[in-house]
Amino acid sequence: METAIITEKPNTQFSRFSRLNLEKIPDYVALYKIGDSAITESFQDIYRMREYYIFGLTRGTALTHRKDNIAARFNQLASEIEEDCMMVSFSTLISLHPSYQEIIGMSSQAVPLLIKRLDTTPNFWFKALEAIAGYNPIPKQDRGYVNKEIAHWKNWAREKKYA
Amino acid sequence: MPDSDIFIEQLFPVIGTNYRLTSDSDDKYNCIAYAADDMERWWEPGRYWPPNVPERIDLNSFIACYTSIGYQDCNMDSRLEPGYEKVAIFVGHFGLPTHAAKQFAECNGLW
């Protein structure tokens, strides 16, 4: 049986619908700030903080997921993110959500699911794809044009045999 | 377009009836783009961001973003001024920008 290591979901302060606003997100930024004061210097800082979050602030208990559970778990996490972050204006902030970190932790196994999710909530998932791919296939002139961004990611997934 | 949306009123409980729906939600753009009159692109550092503006999510970068397309600092004066179009940048904890809105002259200065 194939397994994938994912990070434990922390005992989060995020709630469901009632916590839908942005107010809780800075709590996580505050946690990041413990280890990194330059919280908005650049995206590299944000990514570095994210790493700190995953490896420094979670409890370190690794869970295993059977491969056939990945899709179910992914869909559960994605729905949580979509509900909690529906009013969040920046994909960078959405990517700080703990469930988002867990999806990134699924690594390449999440890619086909992320690609599929682009059809319904595209703006949520570009950051996860970029984090997993370690690469942004969207040329500068096409960035921000959502349909073009989707097309570039789908082309990338086809080239890499994910879809 | 309906006059009201119970979902919006649940999300923003103090909004009362002092709003109107102007369009359906659209994945093509976010509030930052809308305030900049661009309904074709999603504006965000790392995606589309105006040329020569630092790609950071902080207030200075967002001020520079709107300055680059012709806005000037109005010292937090939110009153409606004939001949001017204003945008507001909303900032959350730790000074992180969270939202932008533009003022509607035809609605007596509502944002």
Side-chain angles (χ1 to χ4, degrees):
Chain A
M1 179 179 19
E2 287 190 55
T3 59
I5 303 298
I6 62 169
T7 54
E8 181 191 24
K9 185 174 181 181
N11 183 14
T12 170
Q13 298 161 42
F14 268 87
S15 66
R16 308 298 312 142
F17 183 83
S18 62
R19 290 170 284 139
L20 192 59
N21 56 46
L22 280 168
E23 291 177 2
K24 288 298 174 188
I25 287 183
D27 290 341
Y28 284 88
V29 175
L31 292 178
Y32 290 130
K33 207 171 182 180
I34 293 169
D36 193 327
S37 58
I39 60 171
T40 58
E41 270 305 300
S42 68
F43 283 104
Q44 284 187 337
D45 282 329
I46 290 173
Y47 286 134
R48 186 152 42 84
M49 287 186 287
R50 188 183 59 208
E51 295 302 305
Y52 177 74
Y53 180 83
I54 292 173
F55 297 114
L57 294 177
T58 57
R59 292 174 185 164
T61 304
L63 304 176
T64 58
H65 270 231
R66 286 171 47 199
K67 191 178 180 184
D68 56 5
N69 283 346
I70 288 287
R73 182 63 178 154
F74 174 91
N75 287 328
Q76 179 189 356
L77 295 168
S79 295
E80 283 178 15
I81 294 162
E82 288 164 352
E83 188 176 320
D84 285 347
C85 301
M86 68 171 72
M87 302 301 289
V88 179
S89 301
F90 309 117
S91 38
T92 303
L93 293 181
I94 293 170
S95 72
L96 300 177
H97 192 292
S99 297
Y100 206 95
Q101 300 301 318
E102 188 172 332
I103 284 177
I104 291 171
M106 292 175 174
S107 193
S108 59
Q109 292 180 94
V111 170
L113 302 164
L114 287 164
I115 294 294
K116 188 176 176 186
R117 209 83 179 186
L118 291 180
D119 291 332
T120 53
T121 50
N123 291 300
F124 283 80
W125 310 117
F126 297 132
K127 289 290 172 194
L129 285 164
E130 189 176 340
I132 293 169
Y135 166 70
N136 185 349
I138 304 163
K140 192 93 175 172
Q141 69 271 17
D142 288 346
R143 292 184 184 179
Y145 292 105
V146 176
N147 289 336
K148 292 181 179 178
E149 291 174 308
I150 293 170
H152 283 296
W153 276 114
K154 287 189 172 181
N155 286 338
W156 171 84
R158 273 191 293 274
E159 286 172 10
K160 300 293 182 185
K161 312 292 185 196
Y162 284 113
Chain B
M1 186 64 58
D3 291 333
S4 63
D5 185 329
I6 187 67
F7 181 64
I8 287 177
E9 291 170 19
Q10 287 174 344
L11 278 174
F12 305 102
V14 298
I15 198 170
T17 57
N18 201 24
Y19 73 98
R20 67 184 173 92
L21 301 176
T22 59
S23 63
D24 291 323
S25 64
D26 193 327
D27 280 338
K28 282 198 299 187
Y29 59 92
N30 59 356
C31 57
I32 309 301
Y34 179 78
D37 287 326
D38 183 350
M39 269 81 89
E40 297 300 320
R41 276 182 297 204
W42 185 281
W43 286 38
E44 176 178 352
R47 292 179 68 184
Y48 174 73
W49 205 233
N52 304 317
V53 176
E55 296 207 23
R56 298 194 304 258
I57 297 185
D58 63 26
L59 183 57
N60 286 337
S61 175
F62 278 60
I63 290 172
C65 165
Y66 288 110
T67 302
S68 76
I69 56 173
Y71 286 92
Q72 299 173 4
D73 188 351
C74 60
N75 294 316
M76 303 279 285
D77 183 351
S78 62
R79 291 173 299 178
L80 179 64
E81 292 183 63
Y84 288 92
E85 183 177 294
K86 295 184 179 181
V87 298
I89 302 169
F90 292 69
V91 175
H93 300 289
F94 307 107
L96 294 174
T98 57
H99 179 56
K102 70 176 176 181
Q103 192 176 35
F104 282 92
E106 64 269 28
C107 295
N108 297 320
L110 278 182
W111 295 85

